Amino acid sequence: MCLLVGALLALPVLPARGEETPTRLRLCSMDVDYPPYALVDGSGHLQYMLAQAARGLGLEVERRVAPRRRCAEELKFGLVDAMMGAYSPERAVYAAFPMAGTQADESKSLATPRYFVYRRKGTPLQWDGRRLAGLGEGRIGVESGFSFIIERLQQLELAYDDGSKTLELNFAKLAAGRLEGVVAMEAEAEALIARRYAGLLERAGKPFEQTPLYLMLSRQFHARHPAYSARLWQALQDFRTSSDYRQYQQSYP
C-alpha cells in the first residue's frame, strides 16, 4: 500500500455538524466494458482508483452492474449513490459533481479520454475539429447512453445512430457499410482495430471530443454527506497521482 493511502487511513473523517458519516457507497457500473477505465468485472483503472480512495476513507464500495441509462435513472432517484461519467448541464440537474465556481473542477476528474471519429479505410469522411465532411446521407454511430457525444452530434445537426450499446456492434456496422463513421473512445477503439479491423478501419481526422470523467454522486447522497463528498473527491484526486495508481495502470494497460 502506498504512503498516500496509509496516510488517508490514519485521518479521521469528520462529518459536518449534523452530517452522518456514510459507511458504504452504492456504485452503478455499466454492463459493458470501457477499457481501460471501467470493466464489467470491476478491475478497470477508475474502479481501482475509487476502491482504494474509498478504502482510505473507511468507505465500502457496493457495486452493481446495469445498462448506462438505467444507472443514470437510478442515480436520479437516489437508488444508487454514484456512477462515473462526463459532466453535462443535463446531468448536473440530478447529479452532484466536484465544482469550481459554475464549472466542473477538472483537477478532480478521474481521467480525460479522447474520442475520435472512425471510418472505413479510404472513405472521404473527415473531421477537421469543427466540421465533418464526406458524410453525405450516411449516419454516425455512437453507443447508447453516450449523452455528451450525442448532444455534440445534435448541436452539429449530424444524423446519428445510437441503437447499439457496444463499440463492437458499431464497428461491425461500420465495416459492413451500415454506418459511415463511428465516434469512439480512443483507447478502446485502437485496441479493437488492432485485434479485429487492422487495415479496414481508421481515424478520420482530429480528436472529436476530449471529455473529463468524474465520480457523479446522487443529489440525495450529496445532500446528506456534503463534507464527506468533498473529501471523497479530494481523495480521488490525490490517489490519481500516486505511485500505487501508476503501477496499477502499467500492470493492467
Side-chain angles (χ1 to χ4, degrees):
M1 183 69 63
C2 70
L3 292 176
L4 170 63
V5 176
L8 286 173
L9 284 168
L11 288 173
V13 178
L14 301 175
R17 180 173 297 180
E19 179 179 334
E20 176 188 357
T21 300
T23 58
R24 66 168 182 164
L25 183 78
R26 298 171 298 171
L27 175 72
C28 195
S29 292
M30 268 49 80
D31 61 347
V32 293
D33 290 339
Y34 292 100
Y37 302 110
L39 303 177
V40 174
D41 67 6
S43 65
H45 291 181
L46 305 189
Q47 292 159 323
Y48 177 77
M49 184 197 303
L50 175 59
Q52 298 306 309
R55 179 184 178 186
L57 295 177
L59 187 65
E60 178 186 358
V61 178
E62 182 181 288
R63 193 173 66 90
R64 72 177 245 92
V65 175
R68 179 182 296 271
R69 286 173 175 163
R70 187 181 304 166
C71 282
E73 284 297 306
E74 292 187 358
L75 189 74
K76 183 183 300 183
F77 292 105
L79 301 177
V80 296
D81 304 315
M83 65 179 284
M84 296 173 183
Y87 174 87
S88 73
E90 177 189 359
R91 286 176 170 173
V93 171
Y94 62 83
F97 291 81
M99 302 297 289
T102 60
Q103 302 296 321
D105 185 352
E106 290 193 26
S107 73
K108 292 184 172 61
S109 64
L110 305 176
T112 306
R114 297 196 304 174
Y115 295 80
F116 285 87
V117 178
Y118 290 86
R119 66 186 180 192
R120 289 184 302 282
K121 193 175 181 69
T123 57
L125 193 70
Q126 186 73 19
W127 171 253
D128 66 5
R130 294 189 301 175
R131 60 183 297 273
L132 190 67
L135 181 60
E137 298 299 316
R139 294 177 299 163
I140 298 294
V142 57
E143 291 158 65
S144 58
F146 266 22
S147 59
F148 62 102
I149 297 294
I150 292 171
E151 288 171 10
R152 184 82 186 279
L153 293 170
Q154 291 172 338
Q155 291 168 0
L156 294 166
E157 299 183 343
L158 297 173
Y160 66 89
D161 175 353
D162 66 342
S164 299
K165 72 176 188 178
T166 67
L167 180 58
E168 287 89 343
L169 290 173
N170 273 336
F171 269 5
K173 289 181 180 180
L174 178 60
R178 295 168 57 194
L179 295 170
E180 285 304 309
V182 168
V183 178
M185 188 169 62
E186 178 184 18
E188 183 182 14
E190 298 296 332
L192 183 56
I193 288 173
R195 188 169 69 248
R196 195 175 304 171
Y197 295 103
L200 297 176
L201 303 182
E202 63 183 3
R203 290 183 187 177
K206 296 181 178 181
F208 183 78
E209 187 66 80
Q210 185 166 306
T211 304
L213 300 177
Y214 297 91
L215 181 69
M216 304 160 49
L217 298 176
S218 73
R219 286 289 178 186
Q220 295 87 338
F221 182 92
H222 187 262
R224 290 194 303 270
H225 315 292
Y228 201 101
S229 298
R231 283 183 63 92
L232 178 56
W233 283 321
Q234 183 62 51
L236 288 165
Q237 179 185 12
D238 294 341
F239 192 79
R240 183 180 176 181
T241 60
S242 71
S243 58
D244 185 338
Y245 185 52
R246 288 194 296 272
Q247 182 176 349
Y248 189 85
Q249 290 174 301
Q250 292 166 5
S251 300
Y252 301 94

